[in-house]
Amino acid sequence: MKKFGLMLASLLLLAACSDDKEAKPAAEEPAKEPEQEVAAEQQQEMTEEGFITQVTTDKILVNNIYFAIPEDLKINFDNGTEQTDAVIGDIRTGMKVNVDYMGPLKQSFPMEAEAESLSILIDAESKSQSDALLSFINKEQLSRLLMLGQPIVRDNKIGFLFSNMENGKMSEVKIDLDTHEYTIGKE
């Protein structure tokens, strides 16, 4: 009788641990509403400051994020004291920008989002940084530059990690903001 009881208990234990979905009543399946609530909570307004390193007809690459550019995108020039209207045709590689978007980012590489507004920074400091970056891009003929993280400005130099998306090489660059001379070190 003990053997029969042990065998019955074992079978019940195995049945309880079964992965068979048909054996479970529909009421025990987890509801998907909490996941949707979490996704809604993660939707928040975010801003990415950085440099445009690629421009296509419908998106731009800022740092390591592709932003879809809808036709009705609100764009302005910002000189630090006032903002003036701009249009999609004003967007150029090398520009320093602030992009407002709703998070979270689409998990891909590079990451993706849709821009809600774009400010092209044209104050003296931003213009100097943009000119130095554009000089580097043109001299190195980098048509597919991906910045890895935020550029750092220190001692009149701008530095950042980047990946040349054409050959996959990752490097660090430091560009002098006055002379536009630069050094590239392997990462």
Side-chain angles (χ1 to χ4, degrees):
M1 190 67 161
K2 282 185 182 179
K3 287 183 182 180
F4 180 75
L6 284 173
M7 197 160 62
L8 183 59
S10 297
L11 285 173
L12 289 173
L13 181 62
L14 285 173
C17 294
S18 171
D19 229 3
D20 187 10
K21 289 184 180 182
E22 291 178 19
K24 293 181 184 179
E28 289 182 20
E29 290 185 23
K32 295 191 178 192
E33 289 179 28
E35 290 175 15
Q36 292 169 346
E37 288 175 18
V38 170
E41 288 173 12
Q42 291 175 349
Q43 286 286 331
Q44 57 184 324
E45 195 170 312
M46 303 179 80
T47 300
E48 180 74 13
E49 180 175 288
F51 295 90
I52 299 173
T53 57
Q54 285 183 40
V55 178
T56 67
T57 56
D58 61 346
K59 62 185 174 182
I60 60 173
L61 180 61
V62 177
N63 298 337
N64 59 350
I65 305 171
Y66 272 118
F67 289 101
I69 303 296
E71 289 182 23
D72 61 345
L73 181 67
K74 182 181 181 301
I75 306 172
N76 63 58
F77 290 109
D78 185 345
N79 68 8
T81 57
E82 67 178 310
Q83 296 181 350
T84 56
D85 290 339
V87 295
I88 290 176
D90 293 325
I91 298 172
R92 301 276 184 270
T93 298
M95 291 180 155
K96 188 172 184 179
V97 296
N98 279 330
V99 183
D100 293 324
Y101 64 99
M102 290 300 290
L105 294 165
K106 190 186 269 185
Q107 295 302 312
S108 60
F109 187 77
M111 294 179 283
E112 297 177 28
E114 183 170 321
E116 292 197 347
S117 67
L118 177 79
S119 293
I120 301 169
L121 307 178
I122 57 172
D123 59 279
E125 183 179 335
S126 295
K127 181 99 173 76
S128 172
Q129 294 170 7
S130 294
D131 290 346
L133 175 64
L134 192 56
S135 175
F136 166 70
I137 290 171
N138 289 336
K139 286 180 185 173
E140 289 294 315
Q141 299 178 354
L142 296 171
S143 61
R144 299 195 61 211
L145 171 74
L146 174 72
M147 287 187 173
L148 303 170
Q150 293 283 339
I152 297 171
V153 178
R154 187 178 314 142
D155 299 329
N156 206 39
K157 291 185 180 183
I158 185 170
F160 53 89
L161 289 174
F162 74 95
S163 175
N164 181 340
M165 293 172 62
E166 290 179 359
N167 62 21
K169 289 184 180 177
M170 200 170 7
S171 302
E172 178 183 18
V173 67
K174 292 180 183 170
I175 309 168
D176 185 288
L177 294 174
D178 293 326
T179 66
H180 298 181
E181 292 178 6
Y182 57 89
T183 56
I184 300 176
K186 300 292 181 207
E187 180 58 19

